Amino acid sequence: MTNETLTVTDNRTGKTYEIPIENETIPAAALRKIKVDPDDFGLMTYDPGYGNTASCKSAITYIDGDKGILRYRGYPIEQLAEQSTFLEVAYLLIHGELPSKDELERWENDVMHHTFVHENLARMVEAFRYDAHPMSILISALSIMSSMHADAKDVQNAAARKKQVLRILGKLPTVAAFAYRHRIGRPYNYPNSDLSYTGNFLYMLDYMKQTHYEVNPVLAKALDVLFILHADHEQNCSTAVMRNIGSAMADPYVAMSGAAAALSGPLHGGANEAVVKMLGVIGDEKHVPSYIERVKKGDFRLMGFGHRVYKNYDPRARIVKQIAYDVFKVTGTDPLLDIALKLEEVALQDEYFVSRKLYPNVDFYSGIIYRAMRFPTDMFTVLFALGRAPGWLAQWLELITDEEQRIARPRQVYLGAEERAYVPLGER
Ligand code: ACO
């Protein structure tokens, strides 16, 4: 027996158990041997929100939340943000290695040749009310796409899986752009695969038949970097949903529809939208201290602050802050930035935030950039979803090919009523 074990004594029975330790974890199933009598179910762990439960082995993204480290496939996020492109990062996440020049060219061509969507999908967008939240449209579009690509059901087939990856990455910006144009009552622009991934997206959003239309390269680059920063974040809420649905062997469109639904929540991808709303409510730098006092009293949370994993400055937030200045050179500055900077300054010196290790997260500044680029607030989470798509797909592919994975099925601690007899309605 090696010393890579944990010895546990059950004080109810006095019995001692030896549990193996592998990769700094213990197999939860080993606890089931710990029983008071043979008919017992055995011990389980209780972990709401899965704060200390590893649900998979993964080789995709590494995070050290205390040190503020984020790496995709071993490459530091700072280097990828500075030197790579979103599509190259997508390739890296999905294939595990950086592509050669030829591989990258083929990959970019393949993705850009899957940008057109079925006309029925365009008509589905039409069916939404003018003020429909674009995340509702995106979530619905993904499940409609499931019905349009029957081969997606063949999740055990590697070629079929690869095809859906290209389709999803290619078509998602088109759906997002259609949702936006529908919202503002303008005709759809069909994709232009001569442009870069984010260039084409901006084109579909903005083009109005001008004779000399050009995508602004600074804005396309800023969006590309923001997408890189959002591309994966290991087992976050929406990725866990992608894996959970995928574990039932459902196709990747419906799995991603569920993941996008999770992302739309204000504690997850909806946070950047919430940050901009919050900055608007604060309204002026001079109101920052009183706002912070109300946060400390527990009236509400400071949106864009805190993270389940990072107990240090989110490394992505640092990069986003830099991009803000590049974008403002093109778009002009935004008064909300001054309020955000003041909020950060006050919070980072305040005992409440310091002691709880609450730092700005990636969403604290991304919303301000999107606003400066004239995105309506409710498009922010859609942008997050476009960035996160390769991460969701990489995690889904890893799950499908992992022989240790089974259908996700957590346990519960039942604290409800004991068995009792049904009381007829007239006797209640
Ligand atoms: N403002 C004020 N207090 C906060 C905040 C915040 N933003 N976040 C956490 N706290 C406090 C909690 O009240 C709690 O205090 P207590 O110990 O006195 O009760 C303590 O810090 C720990 O908070 P938890 O809720 O246990 O932290 P958890 O890890 O569960 O939550 C979360 C993480 C959801 C991100 C949280 O920090 C939050 O709500 N932040 C605001 C929303 C946000 O920005 N979400 C984006 C996350 S990043 C992303 O999805 C890309």
Side-chain angles (χ1 to χ4, degrees):
M1 181 64 81
T2 72
N3 59 3
E4 290 292 296
T5 61
L6 180 73
T7 303
V8 180
T9 302
D10 184 346
N11 294 322
R12 299 170 302 176
T13 58
K15 277 197 207 154
T16 294
Y17 302 82
E18 193 130 14
I19 297 173
I21 298 177
E22 196 189 329
N23 302 314
E24 303 283 302
T25 60
I26 55 162
L31 301 176
R32 294 273 287 277
K33 287 188 295 185
I34 306 178
K35 311 176 175 204
V36 173
D37 64 64
D39 292 341
D40 274 359
F41 183 77
L43 274 193
M44 292 187 293
T45 55
Y46 173 60
D47 188 10
Y50 310 119
N52 198 39
T53 297
S55 63
C56 62
K57 294 175 181 165
S58 182
I60 302 171
T61 289
Y62 173 79
I63 301 176
D64 184 328
D66 291 330
K67 297 197 183 118
I69 293 173
L70 170 61
R71 298 183 198 130
Y72 298 157
R73 302 280 188 188
Y75 296 100
I77 191 67
E78 294 81 1
Q79 292 180 24
L80 294 169
E82 198 178 322
Q83 297 174 57
S84 188
T85 62
F86 176 63
L87 277 189
E88 185 180 60
V89 166
Y91 184 100
L92 171 70
L93 287 168
I94 287 164
H95 296 87
E97 296 297 333
L98 284 169
S100 68
K101 200 162 173 289
D102 285 351
E103 285 167 336
L104 180 60
E105 208 173 291
R106 208 171 320 126
W107 170 249
E108 288 172 343
N109 278 334
D110 285 349
V111 172
M112 294 309 290
H113 279 94
H114 284 89
T115 47
F116 273 75
V117 296
H118 195 291
E119 278 300 300
N120 284 354
L121 195 53
R123 282 196 281 275
M124 179 216 83
V125 177
E126 284 299 306
F128 277 83
R129 283 171 61 106
Y130 71 95
D131 60 350
H133 198 292
M135 275 307 276
S136 299
I137 300 182
L138 189 84
I139 291 163
S140 309
L142 279 160
S143 56
I144 297 250
M145 279 154 77
S146 156
S147 74
M148 288 170 167
H149 305 292
D151 56 334
K153 303 267 179 270
D154 196 1
V155 294
Q156 303 292 3
N157 177 330
R161 290 198 298 264
K162 189 174 170 199
K163 188 80 178 170
Q164 313 320 319
V165 166
L166 294 173
R167 283 181 174 143
I168 291 174
L169 292 179
K171 292 176 199 310
L172 229 45
T174 313
V175 172
F178 283 13
Y180 168 78
R181 298 281 290 201
H182 174 63
R183 181 94 156 87
I184 58 170
R186 289 186 178 166
Y188 304 148
N189 288 315
Y190 285 88
N192 180 345
S193 49
D194 291 338
L195 298 171
S196 69
Y197 192 77
T198 47
N200 169 54
F201 179 49
L202 289 177
Y203 160 82
M204 288 189 291
L205 294 170
D206 287 339
Y207 179 57
M208 286 298 287
K209 306 274 180 288
Q210 300 93 324
T211 333
H212 299 294
Y213 177 85
E214 266 181 44
V215 175
N216 186 302
V218 176
L219 300 186
K221 176 68 191 161
L223 204 53
D224 200 81
V225 177
L226 284 165
F227 282 3
I228 292 175
L229 299 180
H230 286 88
D232 194 50
H233 214 236
E234 49 117 310
Q235 307 312 313
N236 56 86
C237 178
S238 55
T239 302
V241 171
M242 180 91 195
R243 279 182 174 262
N244 267 19
I245 301 179
S247 76
M249 299 295 134
D251 74 60
Y253 298 100
V254 289
M256 197 181 274
S257 181
L263 189 74
S264 71
L267 295 190
H268 192 11
N272 50 14
E273 197 175 324
V275 170
V276 167
K277 284 188 187 139
M278 174 188 77
L279 295 174
V281 168
I282 297 174
D284 194 291
E285 274 182 67
K286 66 174 189 278
H287 301 138
V288 164
S290 58
Y291 194 85
I292 294 270
E293 284 313 310
R294 292 191 62 193
V295 169
K296 285 161 59 179
K297 270 196 351 217
D299 286 357
F300 33 69
R301 288 193 165 194
L302 192 55
M303 298 314 287
F305 257 71
H307 199 278
R308 172 61 61 79
V309 177
Y310 293 116
K311 302 301 169 199
N312 198 326
Y313 212 101
D314 180 340
R316 301 168 300 172
R318 242 185 258 286
I319 304 168
V320 176
K321 203 168 161 184
Q322 284 161 17
I323 301 172
Y325 292 104
D326 297 339
V327 169
F328 291 154
K329 278 189 206 137
V330 177
T331 62
T333 187
D334 186 329
L336 291 193
L337 178 69
D338 297 327
I339 303 174
L341 289 169
K342 184 73 186 167
L343 207 53
E344 182 185 333
E345 183 196 316
V346 174
L348 292 185
Q349 288 169 12
D350 192 294
E351 219 293 300
Y352 176 94
F353 296 89
V354 174
S355 62
R356 288 170 180 76
K357 299 187 174 163
L358 298 169
Y359 293 87
N361 60 49
V362 65
D363 283 329
F364 191 63
Y365 288 104
S366 64
I368 305 174
I369 300 178
Y370 295 147
R371 199 176 104 109
M373 290 173 77
R374 312 283 184 269
F375 280 107
T377 316
D378 57 13
M379 276 295 284
F380 295 0
T381 316
V382 173
L383 301 172
F384 192 156
L386 298 189
R388 182 56 54 88
W392 285 333
L393 290 167
Q395 299 275 350
W396 168 71
L397 290 168
E398 190 174 65
L399 163 101
I400 295 284
T401 50
D402 180 349
E403 285 175 1
E404 287 182 10
Q405 285 296 329
R406 301 189 297 160
I407 186 167
R409 194 352 183 143
R411 295 279 175 182
Q412 65 167 8
V413 180
Y414 179 71
L415 299 176
E418 294 293 327
E419 184 182 352
R420 47 184 170 163
Y422 177 79
V423 181
L425 190 56
E427 292 172 27
R428 270 176 251 157

